[in-house]
């Protein structure tokens, strides 16, 4: 049996992303024995300087309850980052060493290191464990300070050279592989069964017609101006609702609220199908950039599985959709297309070609088997 140490870009919480779907599937299939899920460290100073309320939950190791998985097989580790890197250049190395010590303490002897956060490069350097780099975003083309970009570039260069397997979620990212170590394409998916069930309308949705966006609210992805324009165009006819974790500065949040946009925040992933099923139209007002070109948005699969009409900008996951549900638009035409569809009272359809997470779990299982040989 294989033990996994997963260095994740996100915490293990109720908003499931790719890592959680895949890890849960591998544990339930007993493809891996145990998992230590390393969450991003708590960074109180960064939160305070950004004007956010610091996270008060304690750092440390905890058992994670997962249906169908024996207690103790999944544990999460959340560390504390006390100072910025420029003040504490050895902080990353100390945290990496602590991860190795925790893994050894709980009985991991020769685990496979699954890296999603490029910062996991430090853990690889400290341990030399067999490793897999799962690339879900091209952070080198994201809008980040030059110092951060240089750090990520060095980390990724080492990971591409050193990891035993490279996995990417989108065709655009396939070029990340090297001739000596080609990348495996394992796209995202959806829990199809959850979308084949009829759910009652969530009480959090406003009354009347709804144009709904589901996903993390972040300027890297969300076109705020286009969202505001759409809300203004729908005023008095329908509500624009944004569902998902809010990673926006307060002035951006206020901009949306002033336009009448409803910010519902994050909900448990199991609740998402109900929200999608009861939307009159689903919207994807994404920016078009080199960063969004690298994505394989999970919401593309969720939107399709819901069977509701979609208005999207011309981004991957939507521009090549053949289901007939997706209507591409940009600029002023975007809001007009949303208005037309939100008032059309269109019935839901049931697409038959939506990939399920179990297919992706099986693909990861094969890759891990090769690494573990």
């Amino acid at each position: 049996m294989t033990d996994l140490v997963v260095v994740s870009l996100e915490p293990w919480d109720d908003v499931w992303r790719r890592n959680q779907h895949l890890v849960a599937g591998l544990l339930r299939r007993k493809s891996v024995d145990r998992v230590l899920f390393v969450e991003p460290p708590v960074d109180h100073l960064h939160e305070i300087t950004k004007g956010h309320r610091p996270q008060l939950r304690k750092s440390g190791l905890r058992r994670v309850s997962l249906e169908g998985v024996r207690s103790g097989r999944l544990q999460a580790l959340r560390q504390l980052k006390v100072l910025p890197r420029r003040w504490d250049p050895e902080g990353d190395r100390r945290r990496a060493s602590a991860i190795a010590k925790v893994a050894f303490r709980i009985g991991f002897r020769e685990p496979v290191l699954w890296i999603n956060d490029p910062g996991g490069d430090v853990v690889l350097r400290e341990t030399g464990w067999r490793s897999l780099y799962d690339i879900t975003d091209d952070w080198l083309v994201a809008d980040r300070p030059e110092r951060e970009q240089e750090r990520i570039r060095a980390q990724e260069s080492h990971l591409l050279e050193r990891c035993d397997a490279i996995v990417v979620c989108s065709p655009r990212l396939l070029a990340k592989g090297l001739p000596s170590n080609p990348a495996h394409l394992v796209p995202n998916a959806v829990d199809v069964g959850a979308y084949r069930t009829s759910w009652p309308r969530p009480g959090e949705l406003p009354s009347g017609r709804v144009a709904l966006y589901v996903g993390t609210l972040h300027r890297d992805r969300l076109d705020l101006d286009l969202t505001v324009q759409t809300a203004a165009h729908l005023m008095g006819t329908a509500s624009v609702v944004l569902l998902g974790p809010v990673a926006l500065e307060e002035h951006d949040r206020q901009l949306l609220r002033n336009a009448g946009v409803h910010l519902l925040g994050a909900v448990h992933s199991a609740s998402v199908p109900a929200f999608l099923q009861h939307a009159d139209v689903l919207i994807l007002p994404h920016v078009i950039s080199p960063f969004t070109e690298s994505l394989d948005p999970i919401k593309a699969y969720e939107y399709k599985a819901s069977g509701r009409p979609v208005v999207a900008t011309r981004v991957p996951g939507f521009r090549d959709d053949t289901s007939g549900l997706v209507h591409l638009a940009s600029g002023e035409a975007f809001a007009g297309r949303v208005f037309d569809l939100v008032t059309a009272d269109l019935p839901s359809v049931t697409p038959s070609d939506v990939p399920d997470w179990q297919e992706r779990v099986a693909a990861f299982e094969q890759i891990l088997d090769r690494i573990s040989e």
Side-chain angles (χ1 to χ4, degrees):
M1 276 292 188
T2 301
D3 292 326
L4 288 182
V5 176
V6 181
V7 181
S8 175
L9 283 162
E10 299 99 5
W12 189 288
D13 56 19
D14 290 339
V15 182
W16 278 31
R17 289 94 168 177
R18 173 183 173 92
N19 281 344
Q20 285 164 278
H21 285 288
L22 293 171
V23 167
L26 289 166
L27 283 168
R28 286 168 177 153
R29 289 164 65 107
K30 299 185 179 178
S31 306
V32 299
D33 188 21
R34 296 170 297 176
V35 174
L36 175 62
F37 193 91
V38 182
E39 303 175 315
V42 178
D43 190 343
H44 289 218
L45 184 60
H46 175 76
E47 292 167 347
I48 292 171
T49 57
K50 288 291 186 179
H52 300 159
R53 179 179 299 177
Q55 301 176 49
L56 299 179
R57 65 175 179 168
K58 296 179 180 178
S59 57
L61 184 68
R62 73 182 192 282
R63 290 191 173 192
V64 179
S65 177
L66 185 63
E67 184 180 356
V69 175
R70 188 184 70 249
S71 176
R73 290 182 62 204
L74 173 60
Q75 298 188 66
L77 176 64
R78 193 162 176 86
Q79 299 172 295
L80 180 63
K81 181 179 178 182
V82 179
L83 295 171
R85 289 184 178 89
R86 64 180 180 275
W87 297 346
D88 183 18
E90 288 297 302
D92 287 336
R93 188 193 62 77
R94 285 198 311 275
R95 284 186 291 274
S97 179
I99 290 168
K101 290 176 181 176
V102 169
F104 187 83
R105 191 177 77 233
I106 63 177
F108 288 27
R109 293 298 178 260
E110 295 183 5
V112 171
L113 178 62
W114 175 340
I115 297 172
N116 177 227
D117 180 353
D121 165 67
V122 189
V123 183
L124 179 58
R125 291 177 185 272
E126 283 289 307
T127 63
W129 288 332
R130 294 164 297 167
S131 54
L132 176 155
Y133 182 25
D134 183 29
I135 308 174
T136 54
D137 307 89
D138 192 350
W139 296 112
L140 295 179
V141 296
D143 184 15
R144 296 291 185 274
E146 182 57 32
R147 183 195 298 262
E148 184 176 351
Q149 291 286 43
E150 290 176 0
R151 175 173 54 82
I152 295 173
R153 188 174 296 111
Q155 290 169 338
E156 184 161 278
S157 178
H158 180 252
L159 291 171
L160 292 173
E161 288 282 355
R162 173 63 182 77
C163 284
D164 297 283
I166 308 298
V167 181
V168 297
C169 72
S170 73
R172 180 65 178 262
L173 290 171
L174 278 174
K176 289 283 185 179
L178 301 173
S180 59
N181 193 7
H184 303 270
L185 176 60
V186 182
N188 291 317
V190 72
D191 180 1
V192 173
Y195 288 85
R196 297 294 180 261
T197 302
S198 295
W199 302 97
R201 183 184 176 94
E204 296 92 334
L205 282 176
S207 59
R209 294 187 172 98
V210 167
L212 176 69
Y213 172 85
V214 176
T216 299
L217 311 187
H218 197 291
R219 272 190 172 269
D220 280 339
R221 299 172 175 84
L222 190 65
D223 187 329
L224 297 184
D225 291 338
L226 190 57
T227 306
V228 167
Q229 293 168 16
T230 302
H233 196 81
L234 297 182
M235 188 71 69
T237 301
S239 300
V240 171
V241 178
L242 308 184
L243 178 71
V246 182
L248 295 170
E249 301 294 342
E250 181 55 36
H251 60 86
D252 286 336
R253 302 183 193 204
Q254 197 56 52
L255 173 71
L256 293 168
R257 293 191 193 102
N258 290 344
V261 176
H262 297 254
L263 305 181
L264 297 190
V267 298
H268 196 289
S269 291
S271 302
V272 171
F275 284 89
L276 292 172
Q277 287 177 359
H278 288 275
D280 294 275
V281 63
L282 302 172
I283 60 173
L284 191 93
H286 270 194
V287 297
I288 299 175
S289 69
F291 179 73
T292 56
E293 279 295 309
S294 73
L295 303 179
D296 180 44
I298 293 177
K299 63 181 62 62
Y301 302 92
E302 294 174 329
Y303 280 21
K304 185 174 182 179
S306 74
R308 303 302 299 141
V310 178
V311 179
T313 52
R314 192 174 291 275
V315 293
F318 291 87
R319 64 178 175 230
D320 298 321
D321 183 86
T322 59
S323 66
L325 294 171
V326 176
H327 304 259
L328 299 173
S330 59
E332 294 181 0
F334 188 95
R337 197 71 182 108
V338 175
F339 181 89
D340 292 341
L341 291 172
V342 84
T343 56
D345 296 323
L346 296 174
S348 295
V349 300
T350 306
S352 59
D353 58 343
V354 184
D356 190 271
W357 277 117
Q358 288 305 310
E359 301 171 38
R360 311 315 193 199
V361 171
F364 255 79
E365 187 178 66
Q366 293 179 5
I367 296 168
L368 289 171
D369 284 346
R370 286 195 288 270
I371 295 174
S372 303
E373 290 177 352

